[in-house]
Amino acid sequence: MAGWTDFAVITGGASAALVGLLFVAVSVRAEHIAQSKVLRARLAQILTIFVGVLAAKHRDSTAEPCRMILGVELIAVSLLMAASLIVLGSRAERAATVAPLERILEKLNPNITTAALILLGGTGLLLGFTAGLFLVAIAALVAFIGGVIGAWLVLVRPAG
């Protein structure tokens, strides 16, 4: 697993920065977000994805992570992410009215894709395939693109 430490540090740092930027976007549009249960749930999903990627990259940023422990941790992170995303998604679906912005966020959220890729990567590591880290790298990319688009839409789209 040599060579992945730098990637883990960069990805973890990017995840942490995106969590902070998401909070800025939410604070700028706080009144609009406070009025929508769906929007709050979708933004919580984006936050879950960023924090999940941050947690997934934590262990492999250490000098010599144990492949088996990393695999178990990735599986645990992915299952926690998936459970959180499902609960938040059901909250959003229970809302009576859905604004156009909320529909767009629903389509763009990389929800289960990110959790599934982290799960597959962790399972691969657990089974002895260090190439499972490539799936975690793809998960981070999917999470970053979907999450940034979602946060951007919240920040620049008009209310409604």
Side-chain angles (χ1 to χ4, degrees):
M1 295 197 316
W4 283 97
T5 304
D6 291 340
F7 177 76
V9 170
I10 291 167
T11 304
S15 296
L18 288 170
V19 166
L21 289 173
L22 183 62
F23 278 102
V24 170
V26 168
S27 66
V28 168
R29 300 291 307 270
E31 287 182 32
H32 175 63
I33 293 166
Q35 298 172 2
S36 171
K37 184 181 283 189
V38 175
L39 203 50
R40 287 192 310 268
R42 296 296 178 213
L43 286 167
Q45 286 179 319
I46 294 170
L47 180 63
T48 300
I49 289 166
F50 288 159
V51 171
V53 170
L54 179 60
K57 301 318 291 171
H58 168 55
R59 172 62 66 184
D60 57 334
S61 66
T62 59
E64 293 183 34
C66 173
R67 181 184 47 77
M68 298 286 284
I69 292 173
L70 179 58
V72 170
E73 287 182 359
L74 289 174
I75 291 169
V77 165
S78 69
L79 294 176
L80 287 171
M81 281 178 66
S84 298
L85 293 168
I86 290 168
V87 168
L88 292 167
S90 68
R91 285 184 186 171
E93 290 170 5
R94 286 193 303 250
T97 59
V98 180
L101 174 58
E102 295 159 352
R103 284 187 227 284
I104 293 170
L105 286 176
E106 182 179 351
K107 302 280 188 251
L108 290 177
N109 263 346
N111 298 339
I112 300 301
T113 304
T114 302
L117 286 168
I118 293 173
L119 175 67
L120 291 172
T123 303
L125 286 174
L126 201 56
L127 296 174
F129 301 106
T130 56
L133 288 172
F134 285 105
L135 293 173
V136 178
I138 293 169
L141 184 62
V142 168
F144 292 163
I145 291 170
V148 167
I149 290 171
W152 177 256
L153 286 171
V154 169
L155 190 59
V156 300
R157 293 280 302 221

